[in-house]
């Protein structure tokens, strides 16, 4: 049940179920491998550091700290929770228990936080170690880390090395990572050329990545071509239409943006609102959307937010 809840994004229910199991047995029911792994992955999904650390204690107490799958999940949890130092410490402590998934988890942890240099350092250690070869996931994580750090040339080198040195044929996820790499650096024309030269039919994730980059850099022409491809692949999807509308709006093309929104209303399609999740001291939890005013301390929250914006604006001006 815990695993099912976690895999279907019902993370809170997964963790509550774990608590019920523990409480009902008076703490005497021992957690097994599946329970521990599923629970750590659930904490990773919502970046719940406090509960993740409690589970880490269970891992040590139950003797699961020698299991590479559990330790890799803990590295991933610490990375997503912003404690990259703890992720690296756990990685170092694994020593002979490491598998390629351990390396992949640490590379991803650095990439999430934009530390492409450290991600590439770990990736190079994996390649030069001789004991294990990187797999497709290793290359996806390394290229993604390069994309988040502006290391475009290094990302290209990783992509070429994958086929040249390891004979790994790129899957759709790898192509998407390359498009994201080019798109984030503003090389939208090169990204489109890369897509059209792909030896396989590009899927929605590929064109969606390019469309998202067009929003970031305000390129209406390429955005329209990407949207045209997506309209054939996902005619009823609202996600790409919202992105296209935002591209138009950011470029001051209000009529075009309104037309896309009107088409969505005619089709009766709506994009599910994106949400964020905040946990404080392992107890106070709140799920909110953009412009939310439901929190009892809303006024104070927006006051702090405005203060942060003012400090950022001042720092930006002072940098010139």
């Amino acid at each position: 049940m815990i695993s099912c809840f976690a895999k279907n994004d019902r993370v809170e229910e997964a963790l509550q179920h774990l608590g019920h199991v523990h409480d009902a047995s008076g703490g005497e029911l021992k957690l097994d491998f599946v329970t521990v792994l599923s629970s750590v992955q659930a904490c990773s999904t919502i970046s719940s550091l406090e509960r993740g650390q409690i589970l880490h204690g269970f891992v040590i107490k139950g003797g699961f700290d020698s299991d590479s799958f559990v330790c890799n999940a803990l590295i991933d949890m610490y990375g997503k929770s912003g404690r990259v130092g703890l992720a690296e410490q756990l990685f170092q402590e694994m020593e002979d228990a490491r598998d390629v998934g351990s390396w992949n988890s640490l590379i991803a942890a650095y990439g999430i936080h934009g530390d492409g240099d450290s991600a590439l350092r770990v990736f190079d250690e994996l390649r030069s170690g001789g004991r294990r070869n990187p797999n497709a996931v290793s290359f996806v994580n390394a290229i993604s880390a390069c994309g988040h750090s502006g290391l475009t040339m290094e990302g290209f080198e990783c992509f070429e090395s994958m086929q040249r040195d390891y004979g790994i044929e790129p899957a759709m996820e790898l192509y998407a990572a390359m498009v994201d790499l080019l798109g984030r650096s503003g090389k939208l024309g090169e990204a489109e050329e890369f897509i059209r030269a792909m030896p396989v039919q590009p899927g929605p994730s590929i064109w969606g990545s390019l469309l998202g980059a067009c929003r970031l850099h305000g390129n209406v022409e390429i955005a329209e071509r990407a949207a045209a491809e997506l309209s054939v692949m996902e005619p009823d999807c609202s996600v790409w239409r919202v992105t296209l509308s935002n591209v138009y709006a950011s470029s001051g093309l209000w009529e075009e943006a309104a037309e896309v929104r009107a088409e969505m209303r005619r089709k009766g399609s709506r994009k599910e609102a994106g949400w964020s999740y905040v946990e404080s001291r392992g107890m106070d939890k709140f799920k909110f959307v953009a412009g939310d005013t439901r929190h009892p301390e809303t006024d104070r929250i927006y006051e702090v937010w405005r203060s942060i914006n003012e400090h950022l604006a001042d720092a930006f001006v002072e940098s010139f």
Side-chain angles (χ1 to χ4, degrees):
M1 286 300 298
I2 293 170
S3 178
C4 287
F5 280 134
K7 288 177 180 177
N8 287 277
D9 293 328
R10 295 167 63 175
V11 178
E12 275 299 316
E13 289 170 90
L15 295 175
Q16 288 171 5
H17 210 67
L18 174 66
H20 294 329
V21 171
H22 186 262
D23 293 342
S25 66
E28 295 180 1
L29 186 63
K30 292 183 179 180
L31 303 181
D32 65 4
F33 164 80
V34 177
T35 311
V36 170
L37 182 61
S38 299
S39 301
V40 172
Q41 289 171 338
C43 290
S44 180
T45 301
I46 59 172
S47 304
S48 180
L49 177 62
E50 290 81 0
R51 283 181 284 189
Q53 288 178 313
I54 292 171
L55 277 170
H56 193 173
F58 278 116
V59 167
I60 296 171
K61 185 178 179 180
F64 298 105
D65 51 335
S66 60
D67 186 279
S68 61
F69 288 99
V70 172
C71 289
N72 295 347
L74 284 168
I75 292 172
D76 184 63
M77 183 276 295
Y78 280 125
K80 289 180 178 177
S81 302
R83 300 300 296 273
V84 183
L86 289 175
E88 186 169 32
Q89 179 182 331
L90 182 56
F91 175 83
Q92 296 297 340
E93 291 173 353
M94 289 178 69
E95 297 182 356
D96 294 335
R98 295 175 199 155
D99 58 15
V100 69
S102 312
W103 297 86
N104 293 346
S105 295
L106 188 59
I107 293 167
Y110 283 123
I112 289 170
H113 297 283
D115 190 354
D117 291 329
S118 294
L120 287 177
R121 171 179 57 78
V122 175
F123 183 60
D124 288 339
E125 289 174 5
L126 170 61
R127 289 197 287 185
S128 61
R131 295 179 59 186
R132 299 175 183 84
N133 285 332
N135 58 19
V137 177
S138 311
F139 282 97
V140 169
N141 291 352
I143 292 170
S144 178
C146 290
H148 283 83
S149 308
L151 303 174
T152 310
M153 295 303 297
E154 291 84 349
F156 256 107
E157 193 280 324
C158 289
F159 184 75
E160 292 172 356
S161 170
M162 175 188 64
Q163 296 175 289
R164 182 187 66 235
D165 302 328
Y166 299 95
I168 299 174
E169 290 299 319
M172 200 63 70
E173 191 177 6
L174 264 164
Y175 285 120
M178 283 301 298
V179 173
D180 184 67
L181 172 79
L182 292 166
R184 285 177 181 273
S185 63
K187 301 179 186 295
L188 301 177
E190 292 180 39
E192 185 178 12
E193 290 175 10
F194 179 86
I195 294 173
R196 298 197 183 281
M198 284 172 54
V200 295
Q201 182 70 24
S205 63
I206 304 293
W207 290 109
S209 181
L210 180 61
L211 182 58
C214 290
R215 178 189 176 187
L216 183 65
H217 297 284
N219 190 311
V220 175
E221 184 180 347
I222 294 179
E224 290 178 331
R225 291 200 291 268
E229 298 286 347
L230 287 164
S231 68
V232 175
M233 297 178 185
E234 299 181 324
D236 298 323
C237 180
S238 62
V239 176
W240 65 264
R241 287 187 170 88
V242 171
T243 306
L244 179 61
S245 173
N246 290 335
V247 172
Y248 284 139
S250 63
S251 301
L253 301 173
W254 302 109
E255 290 186 10
E256 288 83 350
E259 287 177 9
V260 175
R261 295 282 181 170
E263 182 185 5
M264 289 178 61
R265 285 193 292 272
R266 286 195 298 271
K267 289 179 173 289
S269 59
R270 292 184 60 188
K271 178 179 177 293
E272 184 179 350
W275 54 270
S276 296
Y277 180 94
V278 171
E279 180 178 281
S280 175
R281 299 182 298 278
M283 298 177 290
D284 305 328
K285 298 176 286 292
F286 190 73
K287 181 177 174 180
F288 62 95
V289 298
D292 209 320
T293 58
R294 293 172 298 131
H295 195 278
E297 295 188 63
T298 291
D299 292 340
R300 177 61 178 155
I301 291 170
Y302 279 100
E303 181 183 339
V304 172
W305 176 73
R306 284 189 290 270
S307 176
I308 291 172
N309 274 345
E310 289 171 4
H311 282 299
L312 287 172
D314 291 342
F316 179 77
V317 171
E318 290 172 1
S319 66
F320 287 92

